[in-house]
Structures are given as structure tokens and as C-alpha cells.
């Protein structure tokens, strides 16, 4: 009896497949899976069916909307040969032929991807130009995908221009960028441009539900909507958050809940935000600060609290306008917004929006965010107790605004300064008043002399061709001689200008200031303005009818 020995290699346990994050695992493989870009897909489909393909495409949009994925799909569409190997360019690549599979796996020799962030120089572009002269090895088209193309240097762009404008028939260029404004106009004009839109929150939530179902994870619709809104239109960002939420749910079989997502992202609870807004509108300062501190202790960012307050005020305003309810919102949220819309006026809502927006900006820049948030909420409470301008005007007219006991006595109007009666006009072509005379000097070009008369001359008497000035404001002999000569040149007749020992009338400038003071005093004495100033003691009258320009 002989023993037999097995000298073969011992069996090795199969290595588990490395985990692929959701953003890579669910990257679209067909145009049907590319969500939110229907207009672009239709345009590309029509171009392919009519054989009107551009030689260069530029995809632009915010992060995560599918720019690079679209470029790879276009590469598939142009090089697909179908399962039987006889197909042509199609908007529905089969995904089964060798070109489709090789492009999807990133190993096709004729589809070259380059990251412009790490290949910015002119030498990198020269390599592309030199290689583009040679025909494709196995594909229908040789395709260059350049991601973040705006990071190429100026010399690199210039080197690419000629080849980009007249490339060989077998070459296609596909560019992707998040900052299209940095791409030279000379490059843009040589490309067919597609602006990929932000993906709407409801489409993202629907997509995330499909992904969660494929992963065998139960997720609340509200949780998926929270993730979709946090993604801000980016499918990749949203899938990364969903990946984190699934890991956060743990291994106990629990699903992705809205509360868990809020805690993970540091978002405010909707119920807590509604309570906070109610306390603000009620003028409860202590309750408002306590509510904010509770959320802060739970880990909620003060900036997130104000963002939620802004969203709520915006939603209430839309409800007041009559916009249909957002079905993605919980029922309690919709009912609360309808109630507030019925109770709050448009001026109040607009004022709350401005106050919360200002608070949001202050918190974003503050060294002490929670303290800045508390001060902003207290400011909103104080403003919420004040009537809006329309209501204030109605209260003033109705006499409902009471005068505080400590208010100062109203100002008395200054005594008007008597002005001399103008002498009857003797000559129709001559200035009838001293003011008109000064205006005539300015029209004649004697600006400096007119300024001296406006600010320094006090008139004792005036009639055409005869002017008597007060000696209380000394006028030099040179000025008098200059005035005589200029008046003769400006009017065509000789004037008699003399000085008298009399105070004379106020100067033109003094008279204007006196008139302004009288106008202001009259306005301050009006019942409406007095009531407004009593209601707001720190207010000031900055402009009134008849006030001169500060210039």
C-alpha cells in the first residue's frame, strides 16, 4: 500500500473585492443614467444621428454635475461598434463591445485622459499635438479628454490653437472645466460648448433612493432630501454624503434617518427652527437665546441655524405669494408656513429676511460665532416689535404715537431776515435784482468775481446801472474797479458802484442758509414729523425741500 501525496499549491482564500465608494460605483455608464442634463443629451443625440459632430467639445459646470463622465460617454458614443462589431456612432453605446468596455475601464489606447492641473506646460501640449498626427490604433476616433483645461498656461493654450481649429479628421478634443471664464475666448470659439446645469434637489433625492435601494439600505425620504440639498446640485458630493450617512447608520441594520443626517451634517432640526422663529416673533429674548444654545449644545453650527431661518422666511414669503407647497417638506412645516403667511405682512417678512441675512454674514466673519448669533437674534427681536413704515405712518396720522415724557421741546423757527424790496426795473435788458446781476457775471465767465459778490457783498440799494454796497464788508479798490469794468462788458453799459456806511442786506449766501433753516424748522414743526421724531428720538432730518446740494 503506497501513500499518495498532493504536492499542488494549497488553495488560497479569495481576496475580497476592494470597496468602491458610491461616487465611483454609480458613475453613469450611459446617457440615460446621466441625470439632469436632458437638453445636452438631446443635442448630442441629434448631432450624432445627423453626422454633424464637432471636432472639439467643452463641458462646463459646477463640481460633480458630470463633466468628465459626459466626456467619457461621448468617447463611448463615438467609438462604439455594437455587440456584433458593425455599429457606428450612437447616442446609446452598447457597453458590450471592446471599445465600450475599454473606455469604461480607462484602458483604451486611443482615449487619452490628461489632468491639466498637473500638465500645465507647453511641452505637455506639444506631445498631444505631435501624437494627434498619427491615426487611431484600434478605434474610430482618437480622443483627448483634458480635465480642468482652464489650468493650462497661456503658452500652452496658444500652442493648441492651430491644431484645435483644424485637427485631423480622426481626432476629437473633449475639454472639462469648472471655471470657464479662465479659458481664453480664442479656445471657446473653437469648441462646441455645453453648460451642464446644477441637478435639482428632487432629482438628486430620487437618484439617491435608487442607489440606497441597490445597496440594500433603508433611507427616509426626508434624509435623502436633506442630503440632496446639502449637495447643492452636485451628484458626486451627494453620493459622498450618502456614503458617510450609510456608514454612520452602523451595522445594526438601522437605516439612514433624517435625525442622523442632521446630526452628521450639523443641520438645524426643522421643528427647533420653527420654535425659534416663533420665539423671535413673540419678542421672547430669553427663550430665543435658550433655544439657540440648546441647538448649539447639540453640535449645530450657528451659521446653519441662520441658514435655516432664512430658508423658513423665504418659504413663508413664497406661501404668502401663493406658490404651491414644496412636497419635499414635512406636513408640519408646510402647515406652519401657511399659518405664518396668513399672519405676517410682506414688510415684516422682508425685514426679517434682511435681518437674518445680515446676521448670517456677521456670523460667517465673526471671531465669536455663537455670541454674534445671539446678538443678531436679539436685534431681530427688537426690530420685530417695531411697526413697519406703513403702519407707523397710519399711527402718526391717527395720533396713536405718543410723545415721550423726556422728549425735548420742539425747535422754534428762526426769525426771518427782512429783505429789501427790489427797485422797479428800469431797463428790460438789465438784471432786475442783485442775484440776477451775479448770475450775469457767472454767465460772462467772471466766476471768481461772482463768488466774491455772492459770499461777501452786502447790498444797501440796487437798481440797474446803480449799485450801493455796505462798507461793513470791506471791498478793495481793485475789486471795485474790476467789478465796474466787468459789469460794463457784461451789460454793454456803464455802472455806478459805490460804498455806503450802512449794514445792508445779508449776502446771497447768508440769505440762502437762512431760507434753508426756515424750511427745515417748518418741516420739523409739522405734526407728522414731530410725531416721528418723538417715536424715534435718535432719528435726524437729513434732507428737506429747498436744501442745497452738498456739492
Amino acid at each position: 500500500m503506497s501513500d499518495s501525496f498532493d504536492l499542488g499549491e494549497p488553495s488560497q482564500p479569495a481576496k475580497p473585492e476592494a470597496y468602491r465608494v458610491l461616487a465611483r460605483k454609480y458613475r453613469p455608464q450611459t446617457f440615460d443614467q446621466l441625470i439632469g442634463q436632458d437638453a445636452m443629451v438631446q443635442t448630442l443625440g441629434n448631432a450624432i444621428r445627423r453626422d454633424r459632430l464637432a471636432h472639439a467639445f467643452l463641458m462646463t459646470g459646477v463640481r460633480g454635475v458630470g463633466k468628465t463622465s459626459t466626456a467619457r460617454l461621448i468617447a463611448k458614443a463615438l467609438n462604439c461598434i455594437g455587440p456584433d462589431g458593425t455599429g457606428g456612432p450612437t447616442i446609446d453605446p452598447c457597453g458590450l463591445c471592446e471599445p465600450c468596455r475599454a473606455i469604461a475601464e480607462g484602458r483604451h489606447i486611443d482615449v487619452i485622459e490628461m489632468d491639466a492641473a498637473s500638465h500645465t506646460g507647453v511641452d505637455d501640449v506639444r506631445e498631444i499635438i505631435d501624437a494627434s498626427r498619427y491615426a487611431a490604433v484600434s478605434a474610430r476616433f482618437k480622443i483627448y479628454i483634458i480635465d480642468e483645461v482652464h489650468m493650462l498656461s497661456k503658452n500652452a493654450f496658444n500652442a493648441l490653437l492651430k491644431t484645435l481649429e483644424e485637427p485631423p479628421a480622426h481626432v476629437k478634443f473633449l475639454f472639462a472645466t469648472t471655471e470657464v471664464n479662465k479659458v481664453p475666448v480664442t479656445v471657446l470659439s473653437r469648441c462646441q460648448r455645453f453648460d451642464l446645469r446644477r441637478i435639482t434637489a428632487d432629482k438628486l433625492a430620487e437618484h439617491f433612493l435608487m442607489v440606497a435601494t441597490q445597496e440594500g439600505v433603508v433611507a427616509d425620504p426626508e434624509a435623502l432630501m436633506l442630503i440632496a440639498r446639502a449637495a447643492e446640485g452636485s451628484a458626486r458630493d451627494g453620493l459622498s454624503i450618502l456614503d458617510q450617512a450609510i456608514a454612520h447608520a452602523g451595522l445594526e441594520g438601522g437605516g439612514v434617518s433624517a435625525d442622523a443626517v442632521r446630526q452628521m451634517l450639523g443641520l438645524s432640526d426643522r421643528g427647533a427652527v420653527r420654535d425659534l422663529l416663533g420665539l423671535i416673533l413673540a419678542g421672547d429674548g430669553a427663550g430665543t437665546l435658550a433655544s439657540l444654545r440648546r441647538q448649539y449644545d447639540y453640535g449645530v453650527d450657528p451659521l446653519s441655524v441662520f441658514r435655516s431661518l432664512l430658508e423658513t422666511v423665504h418659504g413663508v414669503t413664497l406661501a404668502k405669494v401663493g406658490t404651491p407647497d414644496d412636497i419635499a417638506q414635512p406636513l408640519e412645516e408646510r402647515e406652519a408656513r401657511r399659518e405664518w403667511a396668513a399672519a405676517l405682512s410682506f414688510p415684516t417678512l422682508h425685514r426679517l429676511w434682511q435681518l437674518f441675512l445680515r446676521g448670517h454674514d456677521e456670523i460667517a466673519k465673526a471671531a465669536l460665532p455663537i455670541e454674534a448669533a445671539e446678538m443678531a437674534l436679539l436685534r431681530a427681536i427688537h426690530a420685530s416689535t417695531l411697526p413697519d413704515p406703513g403702519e407707523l405712518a397710519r399711527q402718526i396720522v391717527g395720533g396713536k404715537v405718543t410723545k415721550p415724557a423726556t422728549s425735548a421741546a420742539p425747535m422754534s423757527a428762526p426769525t426771518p431776515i427782512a429783505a429789501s424790496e427790489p427797485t422797479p426795473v428800469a431797463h428790460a435788458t438789465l438784471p432786475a435784482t442783485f442775484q440776477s446781476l451775479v448770475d450775469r457775471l457767472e454767465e460772462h465767465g467772471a466766476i471768481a468775481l461772482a463768488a466774491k459778490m455772492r459770499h461777501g457783498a452786502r447790498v444797501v440799494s440796487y437798481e440797474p446801472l446803480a449799485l450801493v454796497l455796505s462798507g461793513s464788508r470791506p471791498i478793495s479798490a481793485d475789486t471795485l474797479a474790476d467789478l465796474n469794468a466787468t459789469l460794463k462788458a457784461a451789460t454793454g453799459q456803464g455802472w455806478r458802484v459805490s460804498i455806503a456806511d450802512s449794514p445792508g442786506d445779508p449776502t446771497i449766501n447768508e440769505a440762502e442758509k437762512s431760507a434753508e433753516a426756515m424750511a427745515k424748522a417748518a418741516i420739523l414743526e409739522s405734526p407728522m414729523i414731530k410725531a416721528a421724531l418723538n417715536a424715534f428720538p435718535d432719528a435726524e432730518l437729513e434732507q428737506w425741500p429747498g436744501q442745497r446740494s452738498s456739492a
Side-chain angles (χ1 to χ4, degrees):
M1 182 176 179
S2 62
D3 295 332
S4 60
F5 298 94
D6 183 6
L7 299 178
E9 289 290 334
S11 60
Q12 298 291 332
K15 291 184 178 180
E17 184 179 355
Y19 176 70
R20 298 175 66 199
V21 296
L22 298 182
R24 291 186 58 198
K25 185 176 181 180
Y26 290 94
R27 172 169 281 176
Q29 300 300 318
T30 66
F31 282 104
D32 290 337
Q33 296 176 3
L34 189 67
I35 59 175
Q37 312 300 340
D38 298 338
M40 182 202 66
V41 173
Q42 181 178 357
T43 303
L44 279 174
N46 293 338
I48 291 174
R49 282 188 287 271
R50 298 176 184 177
D51 195 21
R52 300 178 63 89
L53 288 168
H55 56 271
F57 298 89
L58 175 71
M59 273 69 67
T60 178
V62 298
R63 68 191 186 281
V65 293
K67 299 183 296 296
T68 307
S69 296
T70 299
R72 292 175 180 171
L73 289 176
I74 293 176
K76 276 187 186 181
L78 298 182
N79 284 329
C80 178
I81 59 176
D84 57 0
T86 62
T90 174
I91 194 64
D92 297 313
C94 66
L96 301 175
C97 63
E98 177 57 24
C100 283
R101 289 188 286 110
I103 293 172
E105 296 169 6
R107 56 179 176 82
H108 200 293
I109 193 173
D110 292 319
V111 178
I112 301 97
E113 291 194 32
M114 186 183 90
D115 176 21
S118 54
H119 299 81
T120 62
V122 66
D123 292 336
D124 299 304
V125 171
R126 285 194 183 122
E127 291 182 10
I128 295 176
I129 296 172
D130 293 339
S132 66
R133 298 192 181 102
Y134 301 101
V137 176
S138 62
R140 186 179 296 112
F141 294 104
K142 178 179 282 189
I143 296 177
Y144 291 94
I145 300 176
I146 304 181
D147 199 10
E148 299 301 338
V149 68
H150 67 273
M151 301 192 74
L152 289 178
S153 66
K154 181 179 179 180
N155 290 336
F157 274 123
N158 291 336
L160 185 62
L161 286 179
K162 186 62 178 176
T163 303
L164 185 61
E165 184 171 17
E166 297 178 359
H170 60 272
V171 173
K172 301 289 183 185
F173 289 97
L174 305 177
F175 301 141
T177 178
T178 54
E179 300 184 46
V180 69
N181 59 301
K182 294 184 179 180
V183 179
V185 177
T186 50
V187 173
L188 294 176
S189 64
R190 290 166 167 83
C191 300
Q192 189 171 98
R193 173 175 168 176
F194 292 105
D195 289 84
L196 277 67
R197 300 179 177 179
R198 291 180 183 269
I199 307 170
T200 60
D202 54 344
K203 287 189 177 182
L204 282 177
E206 183 180 348
H207 180 61
F208 298 156
L209 178 60
M210 181 275 295
V211 171
T213 302
Q214 293 285 337
E215 294 292 310
V217 175
V218 178
D220 293 344
E222 186 180 354
L224 296 178
M225 182 56 68
L226 288 172
I227 295 174
R229 286 177 173 163
E232 296 182 344
S234 170
R236 182 175 63 238
D237 287 6
L239 287 173
S240 298
I241 297 173
L242 179 60
D243 225 339
Q244 183 182 356
I246 294 174
H248 185 76
L251 301 176
E252 291 78 13
V256 177
S257 65
D259 290 339
V261 171
R262 287 193 187 95
Q263 182 180 0
M264 183 184 73
L265 297 179
L267 299 176
S268 298
D269 179 70
R270 285 290 172 185
V273 171
R274 290 195 299 272
D275 294 342
L276 179 61
L277 182 57
L279 291 169
I280 293 171
L281 294 174
D284 186 351
T288 296
L289 296 183
S291 176
L292 176 64
R293 281 288 177 173
R294 278 196 299 271
Q295 296 191 60
Y296 183 70
D297 293 340
Y298 288 145
V300 178
D301 183 15
L303 204 63
S304 174
V305 174
F306 271 73
R307 189 181 300 114
S308 299
L309 286 171
L310 284 167
E311 291 175 355
T312 303
V313 171
H314 177 257
V316 173
T317 307
L318 293 183
K320 191 170 185 66
V321 172
T323 303
D325 290 339
D326 183 359
I327 59 174
Q329 294 289 348
L331 180 61
E332 312 86 62
E333 181 79 9
R334 282 178 273 167
E335 291 178 348
R337 290 184 177 184
R338 283 195 293 267
E339 291 177 1
W340 275 325
L344 299 176
S345 65
F346 280 115
T348 300
L349 290 170
H350 296 325
R351 185 167 58 221
L352 283 171
W353 173 266
Q354 293 296 331
L355 290 166
F356 292 151
L357 187 62
R358 179 181 173 186
H360 180 277
D361 294 342
E362 290 177 352
I363 294 167
K365 296 180 291 186
L368 303 171
I370 184 61
E371 286 79 2
E374 289 177 339
M375 295 301 294
L377 289 181
L378 290 175
R379 183 171 61 226
I381 290 173
H382 175 71
S384 68
T385 62
L386 298 177
D388 61 73
E391 179 62 26
L392 176 61
R394 286 190 291 271
Q395 291 183 13
I396 292 173
V397 173
K400 296 180 180 179
V401 178
T402 58
K403 176 181 176 181
T406 58
S407 63
M411 294 173 55
S412 59
T415 304
I417 300 176
S420 61
E421 292 292 331
T423 304
V425 179
H427 303 276
T429 60
L430 296 177
T433 63
F434 181 66
Q435 172 72 63
S436 302
L437 179 68
V438 174
D439 293 341
R440 180 73 64 89
L441 291 175
E442 290 180 344
E443 293 169 3
H444 188 67
I447 306 298
L449 182 59
K452 289 180 180 180
M453 295 296 103
R454 186 180 298 277
H455 291 273
R458 296 180 184 272
V459 177
V460 176
S461 66
Y462 174 85
E463 63 181 15
L465 304 180
L467 172 61
V468 181
L469 300 176
S470 172
S472 61
R473 287 287 185 93
I475 299 177
S476 66
D478 291 341
T479 300
L480 283 177
D482 188 17
L483 179 60
N484 272 308
T486 306
L487 287 175
K488 184 174 182 179
T491 63
Q493 300 189 49
W495 283 69
R496 186 176 67 257
V497 181
S498 59
I499 303 295
D501 187 14
S502 176
D505 296 336
T507 65
I508 295 175
N509 185 57
E510 291 171 343
E512 288 176 347
K513 288 184 176 180
S514 176
E516 285 184 18
M518 293 174 63
K520 181 177 181 181
I523 291 172
L524 291 173
E525 284 297 306
S526 66
M528 179 175 290
I529 298 301
K530 289 174 67 176
L533 291 175
N534 288 337
F536 301 96
D538 295 332
E540 295 180 0
L541 183 63
E542 293 188 352
Q543 192 169 6
W544 55 91
Q547 183 183 13
R548 292 180 299 167
S549 170
S550 59

